Amino acid sequence: MQKEPFVLISCIHAVVLLHHSKVISFFIYLWWIKCIPHYIKKVQQKFIISASVTVPLVNEEVEKVHLQKGQAWSVHKFGGTCVGNSERIRNVAEIIIQDQSERQLVVVSAMSKVTDMMYDLIFKAQSRDDSYIVALDAVLEKHKSTALDLLDGDDLTIFLSRLHQDVSDLKSMLQAIYIAGHVTESFSDFVVGHGELWSAQMLAALVRKSGRNCKWMDTREVLVVNPVSSNQVDPDFPESEKRLEDWYSRNPAEIIIATGFIASTPQNIPTTLKRDGSDFSAAIMGALVKARQVTIWTDVDGVYSADPRKVSEAVILQKLSYQEAWEMSYFGANVLHPRTILPVMRDDIPIVIRNIFNLSAPGTVICRPTAGEDGSGQCLETPVKGFATIDNLALINVEGTGMAGVPGTASAIFGAVKDVGANVIMISQASSEHSVCFAVPEKEVKAVEKALKSRFQQALNAGRLSQVAVLPDCSILATVGQRMASTRGVSATLFDALAKANINIRAIAQGCSEYNITVVVKRDDCIRALRAAHSRFYLSRTTIAMGIIGPGLIGATLLDQLRDQAAILKEKFNIDLRVMGVTGTRKMVLSDTGIDLATWRDLLSGEGENADLKKFAQHVHENHFFPNTVLVDCTADTDIASNYHDWLLRGIHVITPNKKANSGPLDQYLKLRALQRKSYTHYFYEATVGAGLPIINTLKDLLQTGDKILQIEGIFSGTLSYIFNNFKGTSSFSDVVKEAKEKGYTEPDPRDDLSGTDVARKVIILARECDLKLELADISVETLVPEPLRTCSSAEEFLEKLPQFDEDMARRKQEAEDAGEVLRYVGVVDVVNQKGSVKLQSYKKDNAFAQLSGSDNIIAFKTERYHEDLLIVRGPGAGAAVTAGGVFSDILRLASNLGAPS
């Protein structure tokens, strides 16, 4: 009478324990490994006999049932999350029962976390940690409690009997591992595959309760694979088809519940399709039965254009080609097992990704592209379908003039890499053959570097190779789309988006198929690069993270304008402006996702922390969820303006109405503009001259289109415009100044306006735009503050004494009136003579400068094109609303430059 291997091993195990012989233990372990195929065969026979309580074993003499392949078959795959507990298993059974397909083949994974638990059992036993016994009991209890909740009657009795027998057998097997302190791959594969066996049996029994003809399949009886490496196998389709025909002839059924993940070698040794191999199982089974489609059920609505954890605006893709899905899965996108695509491509079997927790979502279809999707027809969709990233990589660069023209260099390089078992993710070689660089996982880079330096030691010593350099902390960004091959400018658009987000590209690779453009970037830049690229191809809104400095009159007005316009910008213009922080001189408030602009005042006064400009800038810029960041300086502070160069250098855009930077020391200004012009970082300052009037951009347009500026003359101060527009009749100069202050048109101290310094700053800004190398001290300024009053201790004292000097201003007014003219306080940029001035000047009453009202500004450009009829810009040039509006326009100009639709 033949003994079961487990009985034998238990007896010998007891002897071993008595003699404490590790040598004997190891030989027993090897003997047990050889027993596995025999045990598998006996288990299979047992399963065949009792696979169904309603259908008897098919007799060999009975005519075999032929497997009809084709469109009648529908294949489903349910992952571990889908069968995570009894309630979810019921949901799966309901989906299967409601499917109207003539035939169904359902591939099922182990219950959620069970595969990890099984690997942990092996690890504990191999480490001689006897807690594996308690851990195995937890596995038993998990499945026992699930079965008690799902099944009853004979189905429950049969399953629990098998479960207890399996666990008993596993305990003996784990004891053998415990004794030997070692486990082979086949031994490990056999142990971990039990999770699929148990979930498949429970699901099949549950489906049978509905009255459907359902059998469960141990795919180790059918699916044959050839191990290629430690993490890859190749299906043996001819042998698997033969075994499937044989299995089906003995187990004809309307519904087959098959185990995923597990298979057998040609020698009938248990193996697996490696981690996440259930998708691969489903594709193979779908190919074997020539199914109509393969549906992969998971916990997401489909395949996203990018990882939604990194790009919140990622969208569900309705359709992907096989090639696109392959590329995205290879580069780490949560799509499918990378090899899942191959079996179904041969027969054009579509794969559908569906969400088991949201049955209303249509999911993503992966199939062969139809006409118009492969470049043969017009299509308005973006040529880029999606983006994927791989982190924790290192870039290795092998470089040297001795590589050029030397046959076999690349072979030697990658032969050395192969010898250490490293995985090359991406390769890039210069056409000069001067250098080869490639990316490998960071955990493998030391071994690769050592192998290369050893292999090329002689070449390095002789100088034929100059270096084997390692660039750590890298990530890969892959841009995928089949229509990229027929669309011009995709690479240019991608690189432009990354450049404008201040991302430096370390390496580039693109195949001739053009389905994929791969770039290597710093790991710290990866998420920002992903979001910038995703946004640029209009898969999401153009999102800009903003920091507002100075919530005073202008800053507060800007924040209110942003609040009122935010929804419209999102809906109509695809622009998402997020204010990540607001800071004053004493308090600041920060947010990781964007401040509610309806409550920013309350937040700043209530929850605000102590202001710290360095921390503020760092917070706004280093939020990797937003690739584009801008700091908006709404102050007139020289110290804050001194930070612009550092911010631009770090890739932070700057927008400001603050005149101090552009009118400050010439060397600092030139340094700032040089940096801004050679980078993709933007510096906008329209509101520094004329508030919301288009003065700076008009001047730039004239210069960039080749016009030559001769002179710029203007009334640049809204305060002084108001004063001289109202200095008429019997009104005294001091009365008009006092009235202007009472109406809020002047600075708290009117001398700041009357001194002419503000106008001089605007003149120097325009002069420098015309490439005049002038300092502020070079501007001739006629001050309107009488000499004796310049040292007054307060504004009140100044206003009190100002009437003493009305006589002089009254005389100048009268002289102008006698000549039919009016007084105006103007700034002039004389480009021809390379000088600037600020002065009180009179104009004929029919001159445009004489016809102003209120606080309007007017600027006249005299150029070679506009010589006789001057180009004039006129309108409100002061006030919080128009100044904030000018800053807002610069923000929208920045969004347009970063990819928002124009």
Side-chain angles (χ1 to χ4, degrees), residues 90-107:
R90 285 193 184 91
N91 293 338
V92 168
E94 189 64 26
I95 291 172
I96 296 169
I97 293 166
Q98 292 183 1
D99 187 342
Q100 299 301 311
S101 301
E102 185 178 341
R103 293 283 186 271
Q104 291 183 67
L105 198 156
V106 178
V107 176

Side-chain angles (χ1 to χ4, degrees), residues 250-495:
R250 293 181 283 105
N251 299 276
E254 175 188 351
I255 300 171
I256 299 172
I257 310 295
T259 55
F261 180 57
I262 57 177
S264 293
T265 68
Q267 296 76 32
N268 295 320
I269 300 297
T271 189
T272 68
L273 303 185
K274 312 311 171 187
R275 278 289 193 178
D276 302 316
S278 292
D279 289 348
F280 196 19
S281 296
I284 296 169
M285 299 306 291
L288 290 175
V289 299
K290 302 294 188 290
R292 182 180 74 257
Q293 76 174 33
V294 175
T295 303
I296 307 292
W297 292 90
T298 181
D299 56 359
V300 293
D301 287 344
V303 180
Y304 283 87
S305 55
D307 187 338
R309 294 168 299 182
K310 299 177 180 178
V311 182
S312 59
E313 296 85 0
V315 298
I316 296 291
L317 301 173
Q318 295 182 351
K319 187 178 290 187
L320 281 173
S321 70
Y322 293 123
Q323 288 82 1
E324 288 168 339
W326 164 265
E327 294 282 358
M328 290 186 71
S329 62
Y330 176 79
F331 283 96
N334 188 21
V335 182
L336 293 170
H337 186 282
R339 303 195 68 204
T340 300
I341 306 298
L342 297 178
V344 296
M345 281 183 65
R346 298 184 309 172
D347 300 299
D348 287 345
I349 300 171
I351 297 178
V352 183
I353 311 295
R354 295 283 306 277
N355 189 350
I356 194 170
F357 305 114
N358 183 15
L359 300 181
S360 63
T364 299
V365 179
I366 299 171
C367 60
R368 192 172 299 281
T370 56
E373 294 175 337
D374 58 359
S376 61
Q378 296 296 318
C379 183
L380 295 178
E381 290 185 357
T382 173
V384 173
K385 280 292 183 69
F387 303 87
T389 58
I390 304 178
D391 293 321
N392 302 320
L393 300 177
L395 200 62
I396 298 179
N397 185 46
V398 182
E399 184 176 311
T401 55
M403 293 172 58
V406 179
T409 301
S411 175
I413 290 171
F414 295 111
V417 176
K418 179 184 176 183
D419 290 343
V420 297
N423 181 28
V424 176
I425 309 295
M426 186 212 79
I427 303 170
S428 179
Q429 178 175 357
S431 58
S432 65
E433 299 182 335
H434 177 70
S435 68
V436 175
C437 71
F438 53 95
V440 297
E442 208 159 49
K443 63 184 180 182
E444 299 172 354
V445 70
K446 288 185 178 179
V448 173
E449 181 185 19
K450 182 179 179 181
L452 288 172
K453 287 182 176 179
S454 173
R455 172 65 179 80
F456 293 101
Q457 186 64 55
Q458 184 177 352
L460 287 166
N461 293 338
R464 295 194 305 275
L465 286 186
S466 57
Q467 65 173 348
V468 175
V470 174
L471 279 74
D473 303 322
C474 292
S475 292
I476 278 179
L477 168 64
T479 303
V480 175
Q482 191 158 346
R483 287 188 59 251
M484 287 163 50
S486 59
T487 306
R488 299 177 185 88
V490 175
S491 297
T493 303
L494 172 65
F495 299 147

Side-chain angles (χ1 to χ4, degrees), residues 5 151 235 264 282 312 364-365 376 394 464 595 630 720 755 782 815:
L151 309 178
S264 293
S312 59
T364 299
V365 179
S376 61
R464 295 194 305 275
I595 295 171
V630 58
L720 293 168
S755 68
E782 180 183 353
E815 290 174 354

